[in-house]
């Protein structure tokens, strides 16, 4: 059986097709011994191995064997049941990783946008519970500045004069500050600040328009608006609070295991994509 290229398993009535090599990733597991007719729990019926276990949970077992990673959906909750299944199949490394629920469970992420209008300028401050998200958002937002002649708040487009990008103010790893609009400098000259938020290519000067684009960007990134309130009535500071479930950095664990070896494997937490 060990030379069989394609193996078919029926687990609790769910059919799986895989390669023998995949099932032999951990030679001491019951799945590897199954191929050598060395485990009575697995019955070979009409060319298919049958086992009376949970077929839905076995799909995560197969994913682990194929990728050497633990990748679970954000709404997954059956850690103990999946751990028992891993122990049944003799995949003790996987069972040990599943015991680290605090690394595998997604966490609630909170983000707050504060916005205020003062004459011809709009001020923004963004706070986030996850510094990685703030860093990714800071890479999307660019502020451009330049002197404009006789242009004010209602000018929808920058003049032909070159605009200079400005770095965002970062008081800490968890927040950022920027502003847009115009302020009077001298004569009929105005200092203008435009904001661009990728992937949108527009340079916006109107604070209300920038706020709308910012909120839309957050909603498209998986955030949900949970509250709006005024935090400083005199200064008219509006606060928009968002939340989303974010995969923990440890949700995907890469195993430094040489296929076919029986030694103790080590695991490392892999990084999620920025802003995800």
């Amino acid at each position: 059986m060990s030379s069989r290229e394609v193996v078919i398993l029926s687990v609790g009535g769910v059919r799986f097709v895989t390669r023998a090599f995949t099932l032999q990733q951990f030679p001491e597991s019951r799945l590897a011994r199954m191929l050598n007719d060395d485990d009575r729990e697995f019955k070979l019926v009409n060319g298919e191995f049958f086992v009376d276990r949970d077929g839905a949970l076995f799909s995560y077992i197969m994913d682990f064997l194929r990728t050497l990673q633990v990748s679970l959906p954000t709404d997954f909750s059956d850690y103990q049941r999946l751990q028992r299944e891993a122990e049944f199949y003799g995949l003790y490394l996987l069972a040990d990783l599943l015991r680290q629920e605090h690394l595998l469970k997604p966490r609630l992420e909170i983000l707050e946008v504060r916005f205020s209008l003062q004459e011809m300028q709009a001020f923004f401050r963004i706070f986030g519970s996850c510094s990685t998200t703030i860093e990714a958002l800071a890479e999307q937002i660019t502020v451009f500045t330049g002197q404009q002649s006789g242009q004010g708040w209602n000018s929808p487009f920058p003049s032909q004069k070159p605009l200079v990008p400005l770095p965002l103010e970062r008081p800490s790893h968890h927040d950022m500050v920027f502003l847009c609009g115009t302020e009077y400098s001298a004569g009929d000259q105005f200092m203008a600040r435009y904001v661009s938020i990728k992937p949108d290519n527009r340079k916006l000067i109107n604070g209300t328009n920038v706020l709308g684009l910012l909120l839309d960007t957050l909603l498209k990134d998986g955030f949900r608006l949970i509250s709006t309130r005024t935090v400083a009535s005199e200064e008219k500071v509006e606060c928009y609070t968002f939340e989303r479930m974010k995969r923990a950095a440890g949700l995907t664990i890469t195993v430094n295991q040489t296929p076919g070896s029986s030694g103790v494997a080590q695991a490392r937490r892999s990084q999620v994509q920025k802003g995800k």
Side-chain angles (χ1 to χ4, degrees):
M1 284 294 179
S2 60
S3 61
R4 179 193 293 260
E5 287 189 14
V6 177
V7 181
I8 302 174
L9 300 95
S10 178
V11 183
V14 182
R15 196 166 181 263
F16 296 88
V17 181
T18 186
R19 297 184 303 163
F21 173 80
T22 301
L23 300 175
Q24 293 169 331
Q25 293 281 20
F26 297 88
E28 296 179 357
S29 72
R30 299 182 73 175
L31 291 169
R33 297 201 307 268
M34 173 192 73
L35 297 179
N36 297 318
D37 296 323
D38 195 21
D39 196 310
R40 295 182 180 181
E41 189 71 37
F42 299 86
K43 305 296 183 181
L44 187 59
V45 180
N46 297 326
E48 298 184 12
F49 288 99
F50 174 79
V51 58
D52 189 17
R53 302 294 293 191
D54 191 305
L57 291 178
F58 188 71
S59 64
Y60 300 114
I61 302 285
M62 285 303 306
D63 184 67
F64 172 74
L65 293 174
R66 287 168 174 151
T67 65
L68 293 182
Q69 294 181 343
V70 182
S71 301
L72 303 174
T74 55
D75 59 350
F76 185 82
S77 60
D78 289 334
Y79 291 93
Q80 292 185 349
R81 291 182 60 213
L82 184 55
Q83 179 186 326
R84 288 198 301 269
E85 294 301 296
E87 291 172 346
F88 170 81
Y89 292 108
L91 297 169
Y92 299 110
L93 171 63
L94 175 59
D96 288 341
L97 296 178
L98 290 168
R99 290 189 184 96
Q100 305 179 57
E101 269 188 59
H102 65 288
L103 296 180
L104 300 174
K105 284 185 175 180
R107 65 186 187 277
L108 183 64
E109 180 181 358
I110 302 296
L111 190 140
E112 183 179 278
V113 176
R114 295 196 175 191
F115 167 74
S116 67
L117 287 174
Q118 295 183 13
E119 297 181 351
M120 303 292 286
Q121 289 187 321
F123 295 81
F124 294 83
R125 187 161 193 172
I126 304 175
F127 302 85
S129 60
C130 178
S131 60
T132 303
T133 297
I134 294 297
E135 187 67 34
L137 191 58
E139 292 181 1
Q140 290 180 258
I141 299 174
T142 305
V143 177
F144 298 89
T145 185
Q147 268 198 344
Q148 310 297 320
S149 298
Q151 293 189 6
W153 181 268
N154 294 321
S155 176
F157 303 107
S159 71
Q160 298 300 317
K161 296 181 180 179
L163 298 177
V164 179
L166 288 177
L168 299 181
E169 184 180 344
R170 296 290 306 276
S172 73
H173 293 295
H174 290 272
D175 63 339
M176 71 176 78
V177 177
F178 63 93
L179 57 87
C180 66
T182 59
E183 60 181 342
Y184 179 78
S185 57
D188 64 345
Q189 297 293 311
F190 289 85
M191 182 62 67
R193 286 185 175 87
Y194 298 85
V195 173
S196 176
I197 304 177
K198 296 177 182 177
D200 195 296
N201 293 321
R202 291 174 297 170
K203 293 182 176 65
L204 303 177
I205 194 172
N206 184 288
T208 303
N209 293 341
V210 174
L211 176 65
L213 178 58
L214 176 60
L215 300 186
D216 185 60
T217 300
L218 295 175
L219 293 172
K220 289 180 179 178
D221 202 27
F223 281 98
R224 181 172 67 95
L225 180 64
I226 59 174
S227 71
T228 60
R229 68 186 193 276
T230 301
V231 295
S233 57
E234 293 183 358
E235 298 179 358
K236 297 182 179 179
V237 179
E238 300 173 6
C239 179
Y240 301 80
T241 303
F242 294 82
E243 70 175 17
R244 72 174 174 182
M245 294 303 294
K246 181 179 176 64
R247 288 191 172 191
L251 189 61
T252 301
I253 299 181
T254 303
V255 181
N256 298 325
Q257 166 85 14
T258 302
S261 68
S262 59
V264 178
Q266 295 180 340
R268 65 176 177 84
R269 285 183 293 171
S270 65
Q271 298 297 321
V272 298
Q273 292 181 350
K274 289 187 176 182
K276 299 293 181 184

